[in-house]
Amino acid sequence: MRNATGEHQNVVVFGGTSEIGLAIVTELVTAATRHVVLACRDTPAGETAAAALDLPSGCETHVVAWDATAVHTHADCVDTIVGIVGDLDIVVMAAGVLGSQAQFDDNPTDAGHAVAANMAGPVTTITAAARQMRTQRHGHIVVLSSVAGIRVRAANHVYGSTKAGLDAYAQGLADHLAGTGVNVTIVRPGFVTGRMTNGMKAAPFATTPAAVAVDTARAINRNQRIVHSPGILRWVFLILRHLPNTLWRRIPG
Amino acid sequence: MTDSRVVSGWGRTSPVSCRVHEVVAGDVGSVVVAAGGSGAGRGVLARGLGRSYGDAAQASGGDLIRLVDGGIDLDVSTGVVTVDAGTSLDELLRVSVPAGWFVPVTPGTRFVTVGGAIAADVHGKNHHRDGSFGGWVESFDMVLASGELVSVSPVSDPGLFWATVGGMGLTGVIVSARVRMIPVETSRMLVSTRRFGDLDSLMASMTERDDAFRYSVAWVDATVSGRRLGRGVVTWGEHATRDALSGRAGREPLSYAPSQRVGVPGVVGSVGVVRRWNAAAFSEAWFRKAPVSRDGEVQSIPAFFHPLDGVADWNRVYGRRGFVQYQFVVPDTAVDTVRQVLERVVVSKPADFLNVLKRFGAAGDGMLSFPMPGWTLTVDLPVVDGLGALLHELDDMVLSAGGRVYLAKDAHTTPAMITAGYLRLAEWRSVRDRVDPTRVFQSDLARRLAL
Ligand SMILES: Cc1cc2nc3c(=O)[nH]c(=O)nc-3n(C[C@H](O)[C@H](O)[C@H](O)COP(=O)(O)OP(=O)(O)OC[C@H]3O[C@@H](n4cnc5c(N)ncnc54)[C@H](O)[C@@H]3O)c2cc1C
């Protein structure tokens, strides 16, 4: 259960080895936290990540196998986690693959896999978590979206469209859950330096996993539905979204 | 009547939605069995008047039972009352005081139910003399997880009796109780007041004078530090005897009809948000207005026991995020912990002005009852960023002094703190597992603290 001061007793991250996901865990953990669950495909990497977390005494970590593309296993996986932690307080969906547009162009099957990993898997898992939270009548779902989904760019339009889809799903879910005591926060980071973007040229307003985690934790505490990180991107994309397409197409990147 | 409602504790910190069943005692069994058998596992729980501060009287997604009967059957010759558990102490006092009987223990509000008073084993200003509420209960009837109605006394089933006294509703639903009242000659109190400029002299005086009075409590200032840390006002009281009263009070010695009733939305002068500066201003004025020393003052029961009941909805003044009432007890030897906690609270500068200090007497037999011999301090802390960390820090101080926090007030602590503070928890669990093996009864408090 979440306590009176907004501390969560358990935090579950899908895509448990994601840098942003782990940074969010670090930001949310307090002396009240009893369980951290990292659900990921690469469980040895999950164990390593779990061991590296700085947790208060009495807080247990659990690494659970979860493959984003194996959608038929997701409902059971959520049940397994409920069996470990009890009521789900906070679920963070941090899974996602970036891929490269060139790779997708050469190998269309990879594009289909990216859609499965970034959209079909997260939607299945979040829907299962939402079902559990609806009976609990409390809980918070955090969805890592991206500014790339606000207006999809040619340079990464497969990735961007998966995020656009996930973002739209999460907004609809938030409305669907209104009045049930369950809340949804959608996080739209800009360019995040880290493993996922290694070797890429940083975009303007580039940020870090730690900074995104701070913004996310604040948005959760205030129960904000959508948060851009850094915050200025909200205004930048308000403008970009309304650019005529002839101009938009020419923006480099 | 059943409907879905958003409920919270008195501190208004964690509102959740539950199905609320308003039922007569005879229907409790069927509600318990139906909800327990539904398989959703979200729990059933009795709820009184919701005066516990945290999440003790709610079960998110579950079923709450509110008892509507308010029967009071007082034997005026013996002072034993048979009372429905949903009856409030307010209703009970309105019947009993004019007949010359007072409740054996009253918390700082009379808007609590008899069921809630037993389930939290509440204490009052007379704890050092009379112990807590459960010690005055001869027996009660309760509905178990099976739906069965049983009568329980300390003789018939001491395990279940003392697991239910202080058991926070987790062993079953109490539907009625037999309680021993105490005789009074009048409805007035004779009060002695002393003001102290620092914590040491205040505590020394309580230690010295408490034994001479049935009731005793101190208000301490948590807005000043340094030499004045813990300055405050102690009030001691006795029920006035008939010959101590004169004038109108003497002619109608047992008259008792407080104007404030529960549920009546009162008009509060100004419901603002308490900020630090007005907490400091309030504390200063409160301190200055108290006499340095006064004896033999006559006060009414509401003025002496329930001053806050005169202010409707005062719990809203702390704003949207609500507040936590932190109450702990530490052994007599841990006077320093009281000072350290107070210092820490003053330094963190929350807008806090209702701070109560009291010396407890011997502990009762309730397995999860809060009181134990020593000092108990209560501070109101509005929820602001950083409060969580402060509360864990206070917990650590209390724990290392061998103390514990009060479940009826708690809204933030950890299972580890409860295991360390409540040494009879394992014994309590074994009784709970006997009467409710499948955990039909649940609360958010129980889930949070893994009781
Ligand atoms: C202004 C104020 C001052 C207070 N001062 C004091 C004080 O001086 N000393 C003190 O000890 N406490 C004090 N309290 C706390 C209060 O006395 C307790 O929380 C009490 O339990 C509240 O009773 P309630 O009827 O409102 O119960 P609720 O808050 O509704 O419920 C409290 C617990 O009792 C259980 N319960 C309620 N009814 C039943 C039943 N019929 N059968 C089984 N379980 C039941 C609930 O499940 C829950 O766990 C104060 C509270 C306030 C608001």
Side-chain angles (χ1 to χ4, degrees):
Chain A
M1 292 295 305
R2 187 174 167 276
N3 73 16
T5 61
E7 297 174 327
H8 301 273
Q9 285 194 311
N10 60 66
V11 182
V12 179
V13 184
F14 290 93
T17 55
S18 127
E19 284 170 296
I20 297 180
L22 290 166
I24 292 173
V25 169
T26 303
E27 207 50 47
L28 291 179
V29 161
T30 66
T33 313
R34 300 176 58 216
H35 300 282
V36 170
V37 178
L38 304 181
C40 52
R41 187 177 47 187
D42 184 354
T43 50
E47 297 289 356
T48 310
L53 287 169
D54 180 18
L55 299 174
S57 67
C59 179
E60 298 170 15
T61 54
H62 315 266
V63 176
V64 172
W66 175 81
D67 181 341
T69 57
V71 293
H72 61 284
T73 63
H74 289 189
D76 285 347
C77 182
V78 168
D79 287 347
T80 303
I81 293 170
V82 171
I84 298 170
V85 305
D87 282 14
L88 300 176
D89 288 350
I90 190 147
V91 164
V92 181
M93 177 50 71
V97 292
L98 187 54
S100 84
Q101 191 54 47
Q103 166 206 351
F104 296 143
D105 289 342
D106 289 348
N107 191 350
T109 310
D110 286 356
H113 287 315
V115 174
N118 289 0
M119 172 88 197
V123 166
T124 310
T125 296
I126 295 168
T127 304
R131 179 174 65 181
Q132 164 67 21
M133 287 183 179
R134 244 190 345 252
T135 43
Q136 292 175 187
R137 298 226 141 220
H138 71 94
H140 205 122
I141 295 171
V142 179
V143 181
L144 265 302
S145 174
S146 167
V147 294
I150 298 177
R151 187 167 188 182
V152 176
R153 286 189 306 127
N156 66 356
H157 63 272
V158 170
Y159 175 77
S161 61
T162 62
K163 288 300 186 184
L166 183 62
D167 197 292
Y169 160 79
Q171 292 185 55
L173 177 71
D175 288 341
H176 182 51
L177 293 173
T180 63
V182 183
N183 299 306
V184 176
T185 291
I186 301 165
V187 187
R188 295 180 182 158
F191 185 96
V192 182
T193 55
R195 214 167 51 217
M196 200 167 169
T197 56
N198 246 345
M200 293 171 61
K201 183 164 89 41
F205 309 112
T207 182
T208 61
V212 173
V214 169
D215 289 345
T216 304
R218 194 187 307 114
I220 293 167
N221 277 333
R222 302 190 177 164
N223 196 12
Q224 240 172 291
R225 180 177 287 193
I226 297 178
V227 60
H228 295 78
S229 181
I232 186 160
L233 289 178
R234 177 178 172 197
W235 309 110
V236 172
F237 272 84
L238 192 64
I239 297 164
L240 291 180
R241 219 168 41 167
H242 293 98
L243 280 187
N245 199 43
T246 43
L247 279 179
W248 169 249
R249 250 184 6 229
R250 277 175 218 161
I251 292 185
Chain B
M1 203 181 82
T2 301
D3 59 342
S4 212
R5 248 183 267 170
V6 175
V7 299
S8 74
W10 191 245
R12 309 176 73 234
T13 42
S14 306
V16 294
S17 98
C18 306
R19 282 173 300 279
V20 181
H21 307 261
E22 300 201 326
V23 294
V24 295
D27 291 339
V28 171
S30 58
V31 174
V32 168
V33 169
S38 76
R42 300 308 303 167
V44 189
L45 188 72
R47 179 176 171 97
L49 283 166
R51 256 49 179 194
S52 48
Y53 280 76
D55 48 12
Q58 64 191 46
S60 187
D63 295 89
L64 297 180
I65 293 174
R66 292 224 37 211
L67 295 161
V68 295
D69 335 62
I72 298 169
D73 182 3
L74 175 66
D75 181 334
V76 293
S77 57
T78 62
V80 173
V81 66
T82 304
V83 60
D84 288 329
T87 310
S88 68
L89 295 193
D90 178 55
E91 293 157 330
L92 180 53
L93 287 166
R94 284 173 199 272
V95 171
S96 73
V97 172
W101 296 96
F102 192 68
V103 290
V105 171
T106 175
T109 172
R110 60 187 182 275
F111 300 129
V112 301
T113 62
V114 169
I118 297 172
D121 194 15
V122 299
H123 57 270
K125 295 182 180 188
N126 55 341
H127 188 274
H128 61 290
R129 275 270 185 97
D130 298 324
S132 49
F133 199 90
W136 297 83
V137 177
E138 295 199 331
S139 65
F140 44 72
D141 288 352
M142 69 188 292
V143 174
L144 301 177
S146 58
E148 185 192 354
L149 177 71
V150 293
S151 188
V152 189
S153 78
V155 178
S156 74
D157 188 344
L160 182 54
F161 188 88
W162 295 114
T164 302
V165 168
M168 304 309 288
L170 297 168
T171 53
V173 180
I174 303 163
V175 293
S176 70
R178 281 169 59 81
V179 181
R180 274 180 295 127
M181 305 283 278
I182 59 172
V184 289
E185 287 183 25
T186 76
S187 60
R188 311 303 147 95
M189 305 300 297
L190 274 188
V191 183
S192 167
T193 307
R194 297 281 185 279
R195 194 170 95 181
F196 299 94
D198 62 77
L199 190 62
D200 282 343
S201 54
L202 182 144
M203 290 174 95
S205 170
M206 287 183 96
T207 308
E208 186 192 313
R209 291 188 86 207
D210 271 10
D211 289 344
F213 295 86
R214 184 162 205 164
Y215 299 98
S216 150
V217 78
W219 169 82
V220 293
D221 190 343
T223 62
V224 292
S225 54
R227 269 193 309 112
R228 295 182 302 162
L229 181 86
R231 69 176 182 175
V233 180
V234 187
T235 49
W236 290 275
E238 293 288 348
H239 292 284
T241 53
R242 191 166 302 209
D243 50 14
L245 301 184
S246 57
R248 202 183 131 252
R251 283 193 303 279
E252 297 173 18
L254 287 167
S255 67
Y256 177 78
S259 51
Q260 183 76 22
R261 285 175 188 267
V262 70
V264 183
V267 182
V268 184
S270 62
V271 179
V273 174
V274 176
R275 303 209 186 281
R276 178 164 148 75
W277 59 267
N278 66 24
F282 173 92
S283 300
E284 181 68 27
W286 189 265
F287 184 76
R288 293 288 156 212
K289 130 181 173 311
V292 173
S293 172
R294 179 168 63 198
D295 293 307
E297 183 195 358
V298 177
Q299 284 187 7
S300 69
I301 285 169
F304 185 76
F305 290 105
H306 314 122
L308 285 167
D309 287 349
V311 188
D313 295 337
W314 65 264
N315 58 330
R316 291 175 185 268
V317 304
Y318 290 101
R320 191 180 52 80
R321 294 172 78 182
F323 70 108
V324 172
Q325 184 169 86
Y326 190 73
Q327 181 171 6
F328 68 91
V329 57
V330 288
D332 267 321
T333 48
V335 180
D336 281 346
T337 306
V338 175
R339 172 187 311 284
Q340 282 162 18
V341 169
L342 208 51
E343 245 160 22
R344 191 64 195 80
V345 168
V346 176
V347 169
S348 74
K349 300 196 190 339
D352 169 45
F353 58 87
L354 288 170
N355 319 291
V356 175
L357 181 67
K358 156 106 201 121
R359 246 181 103 230
F360 277 153
D365 293 315
M367 297 173 195
L368 293 186
S369 292
F370 168 66
M372 64 181 204
W375 294 94
T376 180
L377 178 69
T378 307
V379 294
D380 280 0
L381 301 166
V383 175
V384 292
D385 292 343
L387 179 64
L390 172 67
L391 291 173
H392 292 301
E393 233 182 276
L394 303 186
D395 272 359
D396 288 343
M397 295 180 193
V398 169
L399 193 58
S400 57
R404 61 188 176 214
V405 295
Y406 188 11
L407 293 173
K409 308 283 179 81
D410 180 60
H412 92 288
T413 201
T414 59
M417 182 77 185
I418 298 304
T419 316
Y422 286 86
L423 301 177
R424 297 178 69 191
L425 181 60
E427 188 186 346
W428 177 84
R429 280 186 180 137
S430 72
V431 176
R432 191 267 316 269
D433 292 348
R434 160 164 70 93
V435 293
D436 184 14
T438 59
R439 309 274 171 95
V440 168
F441 295 105
Q442 284 182 32
S443 64
D444 287 350
L445 176 97
R447 284 194 267 258
R448 185 168 55 78
L449 299 177
L451 299 175

